[in-house]
Amino acid sequence: MSNADARLVRTLPPHDKPFGGGREARRSATRRLPLGAALVGSDLASGALSILVAVAGVAAASGNAETAGHAHAGLLLLLLLGINGSLGLYRSNIANPIERFRLRLIGAALFVLAGVLTWIRTASTVDLVIVPIVGLVAPVTGLWIEHLVRMLLAKYGSYSTPVAVLGTGAESRALARLLLHRPGCGLRPTGYIDDGADAEPGLPREEFGAAAGALPVLGALDGWHAEDGTEVIVVPDYGRVQRSLLTLNRLGARQVLVITRLGDFPMFNLQLRNADCFVALELSRRSGEYSKELKRAVDLIVAPLLLLVALPIIALLALAIKLVDPGPAFYGQWRVGQFGKPVRILKLRTMYRDAELRLQRVLASDPALRAHWQRHFKLTEDPRILPRLGNLMRRASLDELPQLWNVVRGDMSLVGPRPFPAYHMDAFDPEFRALRATVPPGLTGLWQISSRSNGDLDAQRAEDSFYIENRSLLLDLYILIATLPAVLGASGAR
């Protein structure tokens, strides 16, 4: 299944009664209360932090500690929460994080407009500056705090919505695996509904669970009812809805979601068109919208500022490396860049000087490790890495900080697929290598804020393809902001 299989489209309204009507609807609403409260709470914290930063910054810049922002802080916070709530940020977790970020940016723009129009006659110019500062800071802190809250809820199983998958065949099992491997979709499969449409000859009913991610068959379509906590039914193709719509309406689930297979087609340009006799997805390729000139301009504005901030950290780490293992603290490594041209990227050394010799000895002595290396090009216990310091630098990606200079030089961009060594690139198919060569490599990318080192070649291919096909200023901005919590969480990094 492709990385675009989780595009969700609501079905037509039912004929006899709403999905999840009556007692089931009340139970579903009760189960969703903690999630809604957590999302509101995360925005309450991020909004309060944004207002505090704005008021403190304006007070320090103006020399006036008594700004009117103190008096309006509560109203500003209510305005921000009200706008975000009206955009649907608290109603459902079934949304791509990038789409949620887009809604936050829209909410911030509406907040600035409403705030300025409300206080333009009564507040001073200094106090009015607080409103746009909050509008700039709130989407950033909102994304960060929501990320932390989402991780906490996922740890206790409260973030995902329990769903049943219609069908028991290969397509339904592939969909269940996709949702299990992508918890960020907000859908947690609990089992299958047997509609009798795709039973496989020779595969007994009781073996469906073992063959499809250890999930059970919940029951038959004609007899099952959503009384076990299931809130959503996902359907792997529209044909099943046509055959089973009346029955699906009576199952008691809150929603029915139809999964549309779009391959690797760009997804941020999709539009739902509802005509009198059909529902359609409008697909459009708007190539060239994010020009290389604009991308380079962003790099030249942001990268030098980040480099100035990072220089003291880089200097301290270089000194620590020399104390742990005498020798050069920096090194250059040849990687494959845009158009297949080799680029020499700068890194802080996290390995022993005889690192490659140590690696070859380990791979030669352990076939299992050699097979893992050939699949991931990473080792959980890497004998090349400097003790403690090397692991710390790699987990926090501090060894990559010198590459800000590569961004300034134009060898790389701030956001893009990470530059891989030639041996790593050779493991991919020619078509993907050609696609990857069309864009400049990046300091951070979609893979770095999701799978990181846990992702194998298939995950790297899917996430890099998604970025290349959907690249935009919005996506780059999201990845840049989401990099900090990903680095601090250090999930999958090594």
Side-chain angles (χ1 to χ4, degrees):
M1 242 184 173
S2 73
N3 63 306
D5 284 339
R7 300 304 91 198
L8 306 178
V9 181
R10 294 180 187 273
T11 61
L12 296 173
H15 297 289
D16 54 350
K17 67 176 184 176
F19 288 116
R23 181 175 58 183
E24 289 77 15
R26 291 191 293 273
R27 288 179 179 176
S28 177
T30 301
R31 283 191 294 265
R32 294 197 308 274
L33 277 176
L35 174 61
L39 294 175
V40 172
S42 68
D43 262 17
L44 188 66
S46 67
L49 179 61
S50 302
I51 293 171
L52 180 63
V53 169
V55 171
V58 170
S62 64
N64 179 13
E66 299 297 328
T67 65
H70 293 87
H72 296 319
L75 293 175
L76 289 173
L77 186 56
L78 288 176
L79 178 62
L80 183 62
L81 291 176
I83 290 175
N84 284 348
S86 69
L87 292 172
L89 283 170
Y90 312 137
R91 288 199 299 269
S92 174
N93 62 325
I94 306 174
N96 189 292
I98 304 170
E99 173 63 15
R100 292 181 64 84
F101 179 64
R102 186 184 72 86
L103 292 176
R104 288 190 179 280
L105 293 179
I106 294 173
L110 294 174
F111 167 82
V112 172
L113 178 62
V116 170
L117 291 177
T118 300
W119 285 290
I120 193 169
R121 292 183 178 276
T122 58
S124 66
T125 303
V126 172
D127 292 320
L128 278 178
V129 174
I130 292 174
V131 176
I133 293 177
V134 173
L136 287 172
V137 176
V140 178
T141 58
L143 188 154
W144 287 344
I145 296 178
E146 182 185 288
H147 176 85
L148 297 175
V149 169
R150 190 169 66 242
M151 288 179 58
L152 183 63
L153 290 174
K155 181 179 180 181
Y156 295 100
S158 302
Y159 179 73
S160 298
T161 299
V163 304
V165 180
L166 184 65
T168 56
E171 190 169 30
S172 298
R173 296 198 301 274
L175 173 59
R177 283 194 297 270
L178 172 72
L179 297 179
L180 286 170
H181 294 157
R182 300 267 181 145
C185 293
L187 300 172
R188 174 172 49 85
T190 59
Y192 303 91
I193 303 173
D194 187 358
D195 62 352
D198 51 11
E200 298 180 9
L203 184 62
R205 176 189 176 102
E206 60 270 14
E207 293 184 13
F208 278 132
L215 295 176
V217 175
L218 301 174
L221 180 61
D222 292 334
W224 180 81
H225 194 268
E227 295 179 345
D228 60 346
T230 300
E231 296 185 27
V232 177
I233 298 171
V234 293
V235 185
D237 66 80
Y238 181 69
R240 293 178 185 272
V241 177
Q242 291 179 307
R243 294 192 300 268
S244 310
L245 182 58
L246 291 176
T247 305
L248 288 171
N249 291 348
R250 301 188 184 101
L251 296 184
R254 172 169 58 92
Q255 286 178 315
V256 170
L257 301 177
V258 182
I259 306 304
T260 304
R261 302 190 63 171
L262 296 178
D264 291 327
F265 205 96
M267 293 182 294
F268 290 138
N269 297 329
L270 298 184
Q271 297 291 330
L272 183 64
R273 303 301 182 194
N274 192 348
D276 289 338
C277 57
F278 60 83
V279 175
L281 285 176
E282 177 185 328
L283 312 179
S284 61
R285 282 187 180 272
R286 291 181 288 182
S287 59
E289 185 175 283
Y290 189 32
S291 68
K292 63 180 181 179
E293 291 80 12
L294 176 58
K295 188 173 179 65
R296 182 59 182 153
V298 173
D299 289 342
L300 289 176
I301 292 171
V302 178
L305 296 176
L306 293 178
L307 185 58
L308 287 175
V309 174
L311 279 176
I313 302 174
I314 294 173
L316 289 174
L317 291 173
L319 177 60
I321 292 168
K322 285 183 171 292
L323 293 175
V324 173
D325 185 44
F330 299 89
Y331 74 101
Q333 190 176 58
W334 289 103
R335 301 285 182 94
V336 179
Q338 190 175 16
F339 310 123
K341 295 172 57 178
V343 295
R344 188 175 177 87
I345 66 168
L346 300 176
K347 300 189 73 171
L348 284 163
R349 182 166 61 90
T350 59
M351 298 183 178
Y352 291 101
R353 284 172 294 169
D354 60 344
E356 292 308 313
L357 180 60
R358 291 170 181 257
L359 175 64
Q360 294 307 319
R361 284 203 299 260
V362 169
L363 296 183
S365 64
D366 192 327
L369 282 180
R370 184 166 61 251
H372 181 87
W373 171 263
Q374 291 171 349
R375 181 64 180 169
H376 294 265
F377 294 104
K378 301 279 185 181
L379 294 178
T380 304
E381 299 294 334
D382 198 322
R384 302 171 295 171
I385 299 176
L386 298 175
R388 293 184 292 278
L389 177 62
N391 284 318
L392 172 65
M393 291 170 61
R394 293 169 76 89
R395 284 181 64 82
S397 298
L398 296 174
D399 58 319
E400 314 285 358
L401 288 177
Q403 289 166 39
L404 286 166
W405 177 243
N406 286 108
V407 177
V408 175
R409 283 168 45 91
D411 302 326
M412 299 170 58
S413 179
L414 283 172
V415 180
R418 283 293 294 160
F420 285 148
Y423 67 82
H424 195 149
M425 288 295 294
D426 289 342
F428 294 111
D429 57 274
E431 181 182 0
F432 175 65
R433 292 202 300 268
L435 176 67
R436 220 174 185 268
T438 61
V439 298
L443 180 63
T444 184
L446 193 60
W447 178 50
Q448 278 61 47
I449 64 172
S450 50
S451 302
R452 301 192 79 181
S453 298
N454 287 336
D456 60 8
L457 294 177
D458 290 337
Q460 293 168 17
R461 187 189 193 284
E463 286 162 3
D464 285 345
S465 296
F466 179 92
Y467 171 78
I468 294 170
E469 294 287 355
N470 293 277
R471 61 189 184 276
S472 64
L473 182 58
L474 171 66
L475 183 56
D476 276 13
L477 184 59
Y478 168 79
I479 292 172
L480 279 174
I481 296 174
T483 295
L484 181 61
V487 168
L488 292 178
S491 174
R494 53 180 182 264

